[in-house]
Amino acid sequence: MNSKFTHIGKRTPLRDGQAKVTGRVAFVPNMELPGLLHARPVMSAYAHASLKGIDIQTALDVPGVVAVITAEDLPPVVPSSRSRMMLARERVIFAGQFVALVLAETEAAAKDAAELVYVDYEPLPAAITIQEALAPDAPQVWPTGVPSGSGDEGAHGADVHEEHDEAERSQPNVGHRDHFSRGDVQKALAEADLVIEREFSSPMVHQSSMETQGVIVQPNPLTGGVTVWASTQSPFGVREEVAGVLGVPESDVSVHAAPVGGAFGGKFGLYEALIALVARKVGRPVRLVLTRNEELLSTNPAPSIQARAKAGFKKDGTLMALEAELFSDSGCYPSGLAGFAAFQMANFFPAPHLEVSATNVLTFKPSDGAYRAPTAPTATFVIDTLLDEAAEKLGFDPLELKIKNAAKTGDPLANGKPWPQMSMVETLECARQHPLWKKRSAKGASGRGIGVAVGGWGGGLEPGAAVCKLNRDGILQVHLGAADLSGATTSFALMAAETFGLEPDQIRVVYSNTDSAPYAGGVGGSKTLYTMGTAVINAAREARNQVLEIASEELEAASEDLEIVEGEVRVKGMPDASISLGEIAAKGMRFGGKYPPIHANGRQALTVQSPGFCAQIAEVEVDRETGIVRVLNLAVIQDVGTAINPMAVEGQMHGGAVQGIGWALYEQMHFDGAGQLLSGTFMDYGLPKAGQAASIDAVILEFPSEDGPFGARGVGEPPVIPTAAAIANAVANATGKRITDLPLTPDRVWKALAE
């Protein structure tokens, strides 16, 4: 526990943990409303086809079926982003796209009827891979013009803040291009003592939350608006999107952020607007909860990426030049994630000479989306592998070479802006002292190897507000509009308790709908605690000031002579001169009271990021006969600024690292040449099991942020970023073979060893 604080830094169990694990929390699938209809989608069987007709009559004859909705039943909506892609009209552009929705009184009836809807398709050519999509004669995903896309990368802290090259949109199936450059790359490469050049790839991977996408919408016949219950990371974002599609003021859309059973960036809004239109059409509440197969087929996975990268070094290990070209398979909608991958690739080890480009390619597959630290695992895999190989060939310790080239505060980012205050070098220095690294040998031993990698996350920014009010029972209530994920509730309580002067059990954190809650941004990009924590602190501080102002008059003492202790305001050094917090609150909550209620607002609009870094050391064992890689030990060493709740911080570090193991060894969405998903269930889509999660040593570093609440930095993104690179470097240490395609499956490893 941090000795500077009373409550901050204390290991505190999550407030909602017991209720969730005992099944007492109601998620969207558990919610019921009078007259609720169950929706089941009819999904496209083809990646690209014309719709010649839809026969719904047999489905309508199923007992309990109320309606079968097609695009013809809904008003046209410009499909500018994936969340505005309603039901297919005239053409489908990925296998799994919604063609119709069956509404029934029971889930079983809806499912049975959906299988009876007959869709007449005329199959069309489909470009499934990046190479197919970039061919001059490729079928175009959007023949009449590429849509703008959602543009919500900034919600995750994944916006490069640069203008995209719109001229490239004249190419078939190109959404955006981004380019970063400085210096003279070709001259620097020609003069380099060592040049490393490699090609890399990573597949589409899915967020795979325990809870699938779910939404309930109840229409309001008086206003034309709706009430929404959604498993979402962004209730205010959903409100904006639903209101825009319905054509009503945002004030007529009320969004309740239901408890979320995992999201990882994939639940910023997808089917809420569609279900809102459908519910308003039929005049009854409608619920859609995807099955696991539907989730894998029709949501928004992380993009697959292909990259070619070349780095030039001096004999002393100095990185002089980086040249890279990156292509991102974004599926059927454009996004800025390709550019962000290139941006990250060029940031962590800044070269004086730089030429990095990124192309966002459209294919006939589901559109991409954010997945914990969007594209950062692949970007780190590329750049960290190049430095690791350079260290090997130049005779350096890999950690020493990475420390030598690591970015420091003030160094240039790829866009020329300076790095804000950060601690990449300090994090690597701590990794150098870890016992796991100290036992590493240059060539590995007996099929075992140890590798190291480092990754960081700038962190998202978004304004937000909080409200604090004191009740007659002496409890301070903190009112927020953010979605409740990842243990933030407990951390907010610790922050409010520390600021106000109460025990954490005297703090209640309350979430409500968009009608009554203060504005909060979407929960993602490691920005929630960093930004909303500041709003909570500001509100708690103002509430404290209001309390002391009343107590000063009641106790006839100056505010600076008062203290809050054990639920009372006391005159310092005079414990008998006191008044309870409940009494103070009551004085503003009675007839004829002369004091206003204790009701405080806190706001923030932080504009400075506080990057967080994570270094990881992986020890692996490689079976040369089978190619199976087993992660034996994983050290996760992360700068969190200040650990508000170390228990929750360690949980984030463990969870991110295990997801990183999935990126490294198991996870990939397989599509055949016709665009059919071959890994549409958890029998086919590989996720790491508990026995494959390795022994994880979470090492919390605290280099306080200059701008974060109590010095905190964002925690959620960094621990997933370097894992794949660390494991790949460990495999190279164990085998002498560099494998640059993720995941490192047994067949890939075996083939590399056989070469």
Side-chain angles (χ1 to χ4, degrees), residues 169-188:
R169 292 216 175 168
S170 60
Q171 290 184 240
N173 300 320
V174 169
H176 303 296
R177 279 185 59 86
D178 290 280
H179 182 250
F180 305 97
S181 66
R182 60 173 172 257
D184 188 335
V185 167
Q186 296 309 317
K187 183 174 183 291

Side-chain angles (χ1 to χ4, degrees), residues 376-377 380-381 384 452-456 614-616 717-727:
T380 295
F381 176 57
D384 203 287
V452 66
V454 64
C614 180
Q616 293 186 21
E717 257 68 19
V720 76
I721 296 172
T723 318
I727 291 172

Side-chain angles (χ1 to χ4, degrees), residues 66-150:
V66 173
V68 179
I69 305 296
T70 68
E72 299 303 318
D73 300 307
L74 302 177
V77 174
V78 176
S80 55
S81 66
R82 178 67 193 280
S83 59
R84 287 178 174 246
M85 174 186 264
M86 302 294 108
L87 300 175
R89 291 178 182 267
E90 299 179 356
R91 194 171 63 107
V92 293
I93 54 175
F94 69 93
Q97 182 178 352
F98 287 11
V99 176
L101 278 176
V102 176
L103 307 181
E105 303 286 355
T106 67
E107 188 78 29
K111 180 178 182 297
D112 290 344
E115 295 174 355
L116 298 175
V117 174
Y118 175 75
V119 183
D120 185 9
Y121 297 99
E122 181 183 325
L124 298 171
I128 305 305
T129 67
I130 290 174
Q131 289 73 22
E132 290 172 351
L134 290 177
D137 58 349
Q140 294 189 38
V141 180
W142 297 96
T144 60
V146 176
S148 59
S150 65

